[in-house]
Amino acid sequence: MQLPDEDDIRSDDHSPIDLFVRGVISREDEEAPTTTETRDNLHFHEYCLMFENREFYAREFHEHKLKIFDGVLRQMGLYWPVIILSATVAIFVGAEFTSLTGLSGYVPALTETRVYLLLGIGVLWLLLLSLLNYANIISRDEFITPLIVYGLLGWLGLMVVISITTVFFSAKPTELPRLPIFASGLLLAMLVGGMIGYDLMIRGENLFWNLDLKNVIENPEGYREFRQKVKQRLNLTIPFTEIPVAPVFGALFVLQFGAFWIVTNGPQGLNSNIGLVINLLLDFFMVAAVFQFLIGLQLFRPLLTTGVDTNEGKVELVYRPFHPDNHGGFRDFGRVAMRINSMLAIGGLYYAYRLYVQGSRAYVPGMMDSVSLSLIIWIVNYISPIVLYILLAAIWLYSTFWQLHLLMSHHKERLVLAKQKRERDPDADTPIGDIVDERGWNELRDAPEWPIDRRQISTALFANSLPVLLSISNIPFL
């Protein structure tokens, strides 16, 4: 049996195109790129770049018509592993030359001489790998990039474990020295969350710009008008200037963190200027990116509920009970929701880690005996992020998975009713839903009602619950 090739499938505007992909989707109604390449499954280390801008990444970076964020923020996202690697090196190596207790002071075997020796070996191997790549003995993209990305993941993961065990086995966590390992939780969460976020951004841009090509939109002309409005809102600038709003919001938001850290012991309790600068830069990017995502989510949310009114008429999603994606044509929306849910869970796990590793070091025994400024600051600093996470996770689960479930169930019910009315005997005097309507109901009873599999729903609920359970068990006074 000969299967149809991808070009045959994509040639029909009513085909169930998979839009949640990386690359650039060519359209007949727009100037097509020189070459068209899309990829569905990328390995984690391929989400972003470590080296110069390769053609595949350059095209999706520049040629997307809808850009959730652009400019410096987009460039930072593309090279996010490089930024986290640089931050990691700055914190751990910088600790050896500042007032922090570096690894040489934490591990007696790591004398200053041996630290320099290890750094020299590291530089030597970088040169060796560069020469091997230059000679085409090894591939930079297939060997060096995954080596660096997964090596960085392994290092930060190891440092997270060491920081947790250090606090766990300490009789007096408040007297622990200022160790760079306490910054590893933030760096690990930022690395994983940032790379997933950039991958999601590119896939989301493809999905929402080309959604009119998929057979789940009732009014494609109206949708094309709607997406232009979305594009304009995502390019929002400060009045009378060309300055984007998102970076300004990010800078103002992290300003309060900077003021708080300056008058206290700084982020992670390290009292380090290097750590302060790195935390401010990472938080700036995160807040600015989240701001842009929120604009996009707020604009597209009506499409998932009541529909959107345009000059070309109302734009609504259409439920296809026998769609090849097994989810009524809504699978791509479920994928977007799952990716964002994963990022929320990563943030929740970091806050649970932060509560234990940093909160334990900041919690003075007897602090709960009376209400004091120190107690209020501790609760605001370590407990309130967990509460905020619980609220955000609950809101996200309700406004995405549950809302899509309600929409799909409503459409399914209408289809069942319409089919029963068409197929029943015109002379039947029994109400709809009687035994004579079994055929119309039976053919649609297994039609999907969720945008993702039930197993994925259980995974999402578990992922959201785990940070809460860990946080409760980590509160020092419980």
Side-chain angles (χ1 to χ4, degrees), residues 174 359-379 382 476-477:
T174 55
S360 298
R361 291 161 50 225
Y363 181 79
V364 180
M367 185 182 289
M368 290 296 296
D369 295 343
S370 61
V371 178
S372 62
L373 180 60
S374 299
L375 175 61
I376 294 174
I377 292 177
W378 190 90
I379 291 175
Y382 299 106
F477 51 79

Side-chain angles (χ1 to χ4, degrees), residues 121-383:
I121 293 174
V123 173
L124 174 63
W125 269 100
L126 286 176
L127 293 174
L128 290 173
L129 290 174
S130 299
L131 292 174
L132 288 171
N133 174 73
Y134 179 73
N136 291 325
I137 297 175
I138 61 174
S139 170
R140 182 187 62 195
D141 298 323
E142 296 179 2
F143 182 80
I144 299 180
T145 294
L147 178 66
I148 295 175
V149 172
Y150 296 123
L152 181 58
L153 276 172
W155 171 262
L156 292 176
L158 177 63
M159 294 300 103
V160 165
V161 172
I162 293 176
S163 64
I164 293 173
T165 55
T166 299
V167 173
F168 181 79
F169 289 108
S170 175
K172 295 181 179 180
T174 55
E175 298 180 4
L176 284 171
R178 295 179 290 122
L179 302 169
I181 58 175
F182 295 136
S184 58
L186 173 69
L187 294 172
L188 181 60
M190 284 286 188
L191 174 63
V192 178
M195 291 182 68
I196 292 176
Y198 184 80
D199 182 69
L200 170 65
M201 180 194 74
I202 298 296
R203 293 174 184 266
E205 290 172 354
N206 266 330
L207 170 61
F208 291 112
W209 184 257
N210 299 288
L211 194 58
D212 58 311
L213 298 181
K214 199 168 185 178
N215 56 354
V216 294
I217 290 292
E218 184 72 34
N219 180 359
E221 294 79 11
Y223 182 79
R224 285 189 276 273
E225 176 189 327
F226 166 68
R227 72 183 185 183
Q228 287 295 337
K229 294 180 180 179
V230 173
K231 182 178 180 179
Q232 293 174 1
R233 292 294 296 173
L234 288 173
N235 294 329
L236 195 64
T237 59
I238 299 295
F240 311 111
T241 72
E242 296 297 324
I243 303 174
V245 173
V248 176
F249 180 86
L252 293 176
F253 194 89
V254 300
L255 186 63
Q256 59 187 328
F257 297 158
F260 177 78
W261 286 331
I262 288 174
V263 299
T264 58
N265 289 327
Q268 292 86 47
L270 298 180
N271 197 19
S272 164
N273 291 332
I274 296 177
L276 175 64
V277 172
I278 289 174
N279 273 263
L280 287 175
L281 287 175
L282 295 181
D283 287 345
F284 160 76
F285 173 82
M286 181 190 69
V287 173
V290 169
F291 180 84
Q292 284 294 97
F293 270 113
L294 289 176
I295 292 178
L297 289 173
Q298 189 64 23
L299 291 169
F300 277 104
R301 186 172 175 272
L303 188 64
L304 305 180
T305 52
T306 59
V308 178
D309 292 320
T310 67
N311 294 328
E312 298 292 336
K314 192 166 188 177
V315 180
E316 293 181 296
L317 294 177
V318 181
Y319 174 73
R320 307 291 184 187
F322 303 111
H323 196 283
D325 71 5
N326 293 323
H327 295 286
F330 287 43
R331 182 185 62 184
D332 287 345
F333 301 119
R335 288 178 171 181
V336 172
M338 277 296 292
R339 288 295 182 94
I340 297 180
N341 193 76
S342 299
M343 294 169 64
L344 275 174
I346 291 170
L349 288 172
Y350 167 66
Y351 284 130
Y353 165 86
R354 182 175 178 270
L355 171 63
Y356 182 70
V357 172
Q358 295 174 223
S360 298
R361 291 161 50 225
Y363 181 79
V364 180
M367 185 182 289
M368 290 296 296
D369 295 343
S370 61
V371 178
S372 62
L373 180 60
S374 299
L375 175 61
I376 294 174
I377 292 177
W378 190 90
I379 291 175
V380 170
N381 202 11
Y382 299 106
I383 300 297

